[in-house]
Amino acid sequence: MTFKEQIQEGIPSVLPQPKPYDPTINHAPKRKEILSAEEKKLALRNALRYFEPQHHAELAKEFADELEKYGRIYMYRFRPDYEMYARPISEYPGKSEQAKAIMLMIQNNLDYAVAQHPHELITYGGNGAVFQNWAQYRLVMKYLSEMTEEQTLVMYSGHPMGLFPSHKDAPRVVVTNGMMIPNYSKPDDWEKFNALGVTQYGQMTAGSYMYIGPQGIVHGTTITVMNGGRKISKNGEGLEGKVFVTSGLGGMSGAQPKAGNIAGCITVCAEVNPKAVHTRHSQGWVDEVVTDTDALVKRVLEAKANKEVVSIAYQGNIVDVWEKFDEENIYIDLGSDQTSLHNPWAGGYYPAGISFEESNRLMAEEPETFREKVQETLRRHAAAINKHTAKGTYFFDYGNAFLLEASRAGADIMAENGIDFKYPSYVQDIMGPMCFDYGFGPFRWVCASGKPEDLAKTDAIALNILEEMSTTAPAEIKQQMQDNIKWIKGAQENKLVVGSQARILYADAEGRIKIAEAFNQAIAKGEIGYVVLGRDHHDVSGTDSPYRETSNIYDGSRFTADMAIHNVIGDSFRGATWVSIHNGGGVGWGEVINGGFGMVLDGSSDASRRLESMLFWDVNNGIARRGWARNEGAVFAIKRAMEVQPLLKVTIPNMVDDALLG
């Protein structure tokens, strides 16, 4: 069968042969035992409903074995034989070009070079899934190959509910992931209901088909490190010779070494998983690998003396680095952490002093012991950080729930008032006031042709727009504009592409609209192929996350989720090609609601109309909310937006003299 025929087949009527477990692939850890005997039967019943009854006897035993061995039913037998990567849009079967673009994005999320655990359909973050099992993948691709512009595919946490009649301006796909009744959103609820096969953790861009590899976060990480450097800078000096210590080399955290190189510092990034270290080193995202703390100390001292720009992966536990650097009195200028602490009990964070293999065994077989060891390590981790900050280190939480989980473990991490943390979130100190309040966030695009030359052309178009905008930009956003120009100028030489021909660029609403319209015009002229627009959910208005994206909201509303819900509803009727809303992405199940979109540009006047309407709302919805919270930059930005668009009328807060409040 050809590739197109395999896509159109969906779930095969003749069972494919079982596939051997491939130990060379980075697999998800075994999930802990959580289902009762009756619930295991329900999980099997749920899985078997995808298949014709004559196959149930054979598959029931196989699926029961998977549930026992891995804690989940992945349906490995149904993993396709073809290579998984983002093909040019022309290679996909279908009646709708928009649907073909979505197939391209789904396969990019599952590309072995992109996905963290590709055989378990997990893109990043340890549990950020595109689908729960391979039957869902096959059904979705079949539905997309059949879809017309008068239908919408409805997705329930990885399960394709089906194609429903709609219209050409409706989204082609509507995605929800993990949307739970609030009282059922604890970590163990995810374990249980995911094992039952009825929900999944979509992370942010995993379950919304918009992940573009570590590049997806590298721009934001670069901005964060650069602005962190500016906060500690004396007399405008740069980051040359300064040390940035962090951890995590997974799907999102793997961007950190590259960002450190672009920002111009010495980056030390610890990672316990040897396969993750190898992947990032082989892809050129980290320069060197060290496995011994003495050798690491020697190498860092050498780099400091020579003011090198270098990134070093330490294959081991981050706690060993913080403690060793304290013993050797190595000064750390910037410190953070990007382990997946939204998922602390299932592979997101590993205990010190225990091997990677033994940790995985404990996780599955002795979960309470594993939990105790993780919390013990978090206390050590925080104590070591405290020693360094006492010497002057600037430490920030990278929105991965490090401070939250450390506090729950009883670490010395709380401020004197007993309410706040000792250290700020990077959104509180950097991204919120410097970027999100002004509408700057992670706009991204993918060239559906798969041609590197198309990506180069889009880079040039975006650079031209930015340079033109910077000449008239107000003083309040001059720095942001210059940072973006520097970024896009270096995008090609920094070799950021992993998987699809994609780019990320922090831009405001005006920049996003102008760049998108310029792309659409270039498509109309035949200069480039179709372009898929999107963004990280980690943006101005897509996400309500009290310890990250909305951590700089101080009017008491940071625990509400109206903004994210309004965002996805508004995007739906303003022209998005697909929309998504998730529970749990980034900082943990039950801790955040986040939404995203995808939009296909085809050079048409319809695309031009949609992009202007949707992108304006997608950003200004969040600015309006941030402005109402009395954030100074957001008040400035929303007033400016009202000047540009007369139909926009936003409620502006009146400021109160605190002296009147007693």
Side-chain angles (χ1 to χ4, degrees):
M1 295 174 69
T2 66
F3 169 70
K4 288 184 178 181
E5 288 170 340
Q6 290 181 74
I7 293 292
Q8 292 167 322
E9 179 188 36
I11 297 174
S13 56
V14 177
L15 290 182
Q17 289 299 306
K19 287 189 166 55
Y21 186 85
D22 186 348
T24 67
I25 297 296
N26 192 17
H27 286 282
K30 180 183 177 182
R31 307 304 183 185
K32 72 179 182 180
E33 183 91 8
I34 199 163
L35 299 183
S36 67
E38 282 303 309
E39 286 169 337
K40 287 179 181 179
K41 291 179 183 178
L42 180 57
L44 288 171
R45 216 175 279 125
N46 288 343
L48 290 169
R49 60 185 159 176
Y50 285 102
F51 307 96
E52 295 174 4
Q54 65 264 32
H55 300 312
H56 286 184
E58 182 174 354
L59 293 177
K61 182 179 185 306
E62 186 173 311
F63 291 168
D65 287 344
E66 286 189 11
L67 190 59
E68 183 67 26
K69 285 181 182 177
Y70 313 117
R72 296 294 185 272
I73 299 171
Y74 296 115
M75 307 182 187
Y76 289 122
R77 176 196 290 255
F78 294 94
R79 187 167 49 79
D81 293 322
Y82 52 75
E83 191 177 349
M84 193 68 68
Y85 67 97
R87 292 159 172 78
I89 191 171
S90 59
E91 295 187 20
Y92 292 92
K95 304 170 185 176
S96 164
E97 294 301 303
Q98 293 182 343
K100 291 179 185 180
I102 297 168
M103 285 191 269
L104 180 160
M105 298 300 292
I106 287 172
Q107 290 203 312
N108 186 65
N109 269 25
L110 295 171
D111 185 329
Y112 284 20
V114 173
Q116 184 180 15
H117 305 308
H119 286 191
E120 289 77 36
L121 301 113
I122 290 171
T123 302
Y124 69 94
N127 58 354
V130 189
F131 303 104
Q132 297 175 57
N133 57 59
W134 286 104
Q136 292 177 346
Y137 166 84
R138 284 179 174 267
L139 263 183
V140 167
M141 298 297 277
K142 177 179 170 63
Y143 278 135
L144 290 170
S145 75
E146 298 170 348
M147 174 187 286
T148 72
E149 302 286 293
E150 304 291 328
Q151 291 173 302
T152 293
L153 176 61
V154 178
M155 297 295 302
Y156 276 51
S157 287
H159 169 66
M161 190 61 69
L163 292 171
F164 287 77
S166 58
H167 56 83
K168 71 180 181 69
D169 281 336
R172 296 281 68 81
V173 182
V174 174
V175 179
T176 58
N177 280 302
M179 300 305 293
M180 304 297 292
I181 303 301
N183 278 350
Y184 301 89
S185 228
K186 298 179 292 299
D188 270 0
D189 291 325
W190 171 74
E191 294 281 1
K192 176 180 176 179
F193 292 110
N194 188 228
L196 285 173
V198 296
T199 195
Q200 73 174 8
Y201 192 95
Q203 260 288 353
M204 290 186 147
T205 52
S208 60
Y209 326 141
M210 191 46 70
Y211 189 67
I212 59 170
Q215 179 187 180
I217 198 172
V218 71
H219 188 14
T221 307
T222 300
I223 290 173
T224 300
V225 175
M226 284 169 54
N227 282 313
R230 287 167 183 151
K231 291 182 75 70
I232 63 172
S233 173
K234 298 171 184 175
N235 304 317
E237 63 187 7
L239 282 167
E240 295 82 6
K242 291 186 168 59
V243 177
F244 170 43
V245 170
T246 185
S247 59
L249 284 173
M252 298 299 275
S253 55
Q256 294 177 106
K258 176 73 77 173
N261 283 2
I262 296 169
C265 61
I266 300 161
T267 304
V268 176
C269 191
E271 168 61 58
V272 297
N273 185 341
K275 288 183 179 176
V277 174
H278 172 74
T279 296
R280 294 304 169 218
H281 186 237
S282 66
Q283 290 175 342
W285 283 74
V286 65
D287 298 325
E288 302 173 12
V289 177
V290 175
T291 58
D292 175 77
T293 54
D294 288 327
L296 179 65
V297 166
K298 182 180 177 182
R299 181 68 185 94
V300 169
L301 289 173
E302 179 185 340
K304 282 174 67 72
N306 297 327
K307 292 194 172 182
E308 292 180 55
V309 175
V310 64
S311 54
I312 306 163
Y314 171 68
Q315 189 174 305
N317 199 289
I318 183 59
V319 175
D320 297 333
V321 177
W322 283 101
E323 291 178 346
K324 182 71 171 180
F325 280 19
D326 176 55
E327 292 169 13
E328 301 291 339
N329 205 28
I330 291 182
Y331 185 74
I332 298 171
D333 299 272
L334 296 174
S336 192
D337 184 83
Q338 227 183 106
T339 50
S340 296
L341 268 159
H342 69 277
N343 183 32
W345 323 124
Y349 185 90
Y350 281 76
I354 302 173
S355 73
F356 182 63
E357 294 74 19
E358 174 63 8
S359 293
N360 283 331
R361 187 195 68 77
L362 287 174
M363 193 190 310
E365 298 176 14
E366 299 179 45
E368 286 308 311
T369 301
F370 182 78
R371 185 187 185 103
E372 290 170 8
K373 295 295 184 183
V374 163
Q375 292 194 318
E376 178 186 311
T377 301
L378 280 167
R379 292 191 290 272
R380 278 178 58 186
H381 196 161
I385 288 168
N386 290 341
K387 290 180 180 179
H388 284 275
T389 57
K391 302 174 187 178
T393 297
Y394 173 65
F395 182 86
F396 56 91
D397 182 286
Y398 213 115
N400 63 331
F402 170 70
L403 294 179
L404 182 63
E405 287 300 334
S407 70
R408 290 169 175 170
D412 179 14
I413 212 76
M414 303 305 295
E416 290 183 7
N417 63 14
I419 299 171
D420 300 315
F421 297 126
K422 279 186 179 182
Y423 306 112
S425 153
Y426 76 117
V427 173
Q428 283 178 293
D429 246 20
I430 299 170
M431 299 303 289
M434 295 181 180
C435 291
F436 292 165
D437 283 354
Y438 289 101
F440 285 84
F443 181 55
R444 57 178 62 167
W445 64 88
V446 177
C447 294
S449 67
K451 296 177 180 177
E453 56 266 35
D454 274 13
L455 184 60
K457 289 174 184 175
T458 59
D459 285 345
I461 290 169
L463 175 60
N464 183 57
I465 295 289
L466 291 176
E467 289 184 330
E468 186 179 294
M469 288 176 61
S470 70
T471 61
T472 57
E476 288 85 348
I477 60 172
K478 281 282 189 187
Q479 184 66 66
Q480 291 90 326
M481 296 297 296
Q482 289 307 310
D483 285 350
N484 287 332
I485 289 169
K486 178 182 177 182
W487 164 263
I488 202 70
K489 280 183 174 178
Q492 293 283 332
E493 66 187 62
N494 283 313
K495 298 178 181 178
L496 301 167
V497 170
V498 176
S500 60
Q501 294 296 317
R503 185 67 71 226
I504 188 168
L505 173 70
Y506 266 60
D508 61 3
E510 181 186 9
R512 298 182 205 203
I513 291 168
K514 286 184 174 179
I515 291 168
E517 179 57 31
F519 290 169
N520 203 47
Q521 292 302 316
I523 296 165
K525 294 173 185 175
E527 296 170 357
I528 57 174
Y530 285 9
V531 172
V532 179
L533 301 181
R535 59 163 170 74
D536 195 347
H537 295 203
H538 171 64
D539 196 9
V540 180
S541 62
T543 295
D544 284 296
S545 182
Y547 297 107
R548 195 163 82 173
E549 283 79 3
T550 44
S551 59
N552 70 318
I553 300 290
Y554 300 111
D555 68 349
S557 71
R558 67 180 179 149
F559 293 95
T560 66
D562 302 83
M563 180 177 70
I565 300 300
H566 277 259
N567 183 256
V568 75
I569 292 171
D571 284 356
S572 296
F573 66 75
R574 285 178 171 86
T577 305
W578 73 96
V579 292
S580 57
I581 189 79
H582 301 179
N583 165 28
V587 295
W589 186 258
E591 302 286 357
V592 52
I593 300 295
N594 66 88
F597 76 87
M599 174 177 275
V600 178
L601 301 183
D602 59 7
S604 67
S605 57
D606 272 348
S608 182
R609 169 177 55 83
R610 291 171 185 152
L611 74 86
E612 183 171 358
S613 174
M614 201 219 74
L615 292 176
F616 186 86
W617 159 260
D618 191 65
V619 176
N620 283 296
N621 164 52
I623 298 175
R625 185 267 179 97
R626 293 169 186 278
W628 184 241
R630 295 182 290 269
N631 291 16
E632 186 178 343
V635 172
F636 163 83
I638 202 64
K639 285 181 176 178
R640 186 164 172 252
M642 284 191 282
E643 292 172 5
V644 172
Q645 174 51 269
L647 294 177
L648 179 67
K649 298 186 184 301
V650 172
T651 309
I652 301 296
N654 293 297
M655 302 302 173
V656 178
D657 183 352
D658 284 354
L660 298 174
L661 306 179

